[in-house]
Amino acid sequence: MQLLRCRSYSCMALLLSACLIGCGDGRPERVAVTGQVMIDGEPLRHGFVQVIPDKARPAVSPIDSEGRFTLSTFGNQDGCIPGTHKVAVNGIETISPTRQKWHAPKRYMDTETSGLTLTIDENTKEVKIELSWDGEDPVEETFAEE
């Protein structure tokens, strides 16, 4: 009886392990994506990137001081769902509670006005996002305290 019980537990453990290995995390496939955001040939040093699929969770990343980013959808740097997606780049820096500076034009902050897309497939590793001021200058805004 003891031997039969041990075999039953062993079989259940083996079956559970096989299920867990084969099931993944139950979320859509993701592809690792890193890249750099450039504005007029220089790295964008503030803000974040959003890659927004039509019917799936967005992938986001902060931008570091060299303009670099690594996309995350569900967890820390787990990548982006494959496909061609709209992109938004928010180049804002909060200077104080009443001041902020835009390091990229506001039009890039909205996928409807950014004009940016990325195609993510299994071979995507390093992408470059090119922005331009088109003759404009960075903008600082001051808000009145309430």
Side-chain angles (χ1 to χ4, degrees):
M1 187 68 160
Q2 184 79 6
L3 181 61
L4 184 58
R5 189 176 302 150
C6 286
R7 284 188 181 169
S8 293
Y9 288 134
S10 295
C11 287
M12 286 190 319
L14 185 61
L15 185 60
L16 181 60
S17 296
C19 287
L20 290 175
I21 291 170
C23 293
D25 65 4
R27 295 175 173 161
E29 173 191 2
R30 293 162 320 273
V31 176
V33 180
T34 61
Q36 187 175 33
V37 181
M38 305 293 285
I39 185 155
D40 295 327
E42 297 292 323
L44 181 65
R45 297 181 189 335
H46 298 277
F48 61 93
V49 174
Q50 293 179 297
V51 178
I52 305 174
D54 279 338
K55 296 180 181 177
R57 188 175 179 143
V60 298
S61 176
I63 298 169
D64 72 13
S65 63
E66 295 176 358
R68 303 209 44 80
F69 64 90
T70 302
L71 293 176
S72 301
T73 299
F74 295 101
N76 190 22
Q77 301 179 343
D78 65 343
C80 182
I81 295 167
T84 299
H85 311 304
K86 293 180 180 180
V87 176
V89 177
N90 182 333
I92 195 169
E93 173 189 14
T94 301
I95 298 169
S96 75
T98 59
R99 288 183 52 219
Q100 61 188 18
K101 183 174 183 177
W102 291 90
H103 293 272
K106 291 179 185 180
R107 71 177 175 272
Y108 291 116
M109 194 171 89
D110 184 341
T111 59
E112 299 305 314
T113 58
S114 73
L116 301 171
T117 60
L118 281 179
T119 299
I120 308 297
D121 61 33
E122 65 275 354
N123 297 317
T124 304
K125 292 195 180 8
E126 184 72 23
V127 297
K128 196 154 274 211
I129 299 173
E130 301 279 349
L131 310 179
S132 177
W133 277 103
D134 291 328
E136 299 175 54
D137 290 320
V139 176
E140 270 196 44
E141 294 178 320
T142 302
F143 304 98
E145 291 190 50
E146 293 183 22

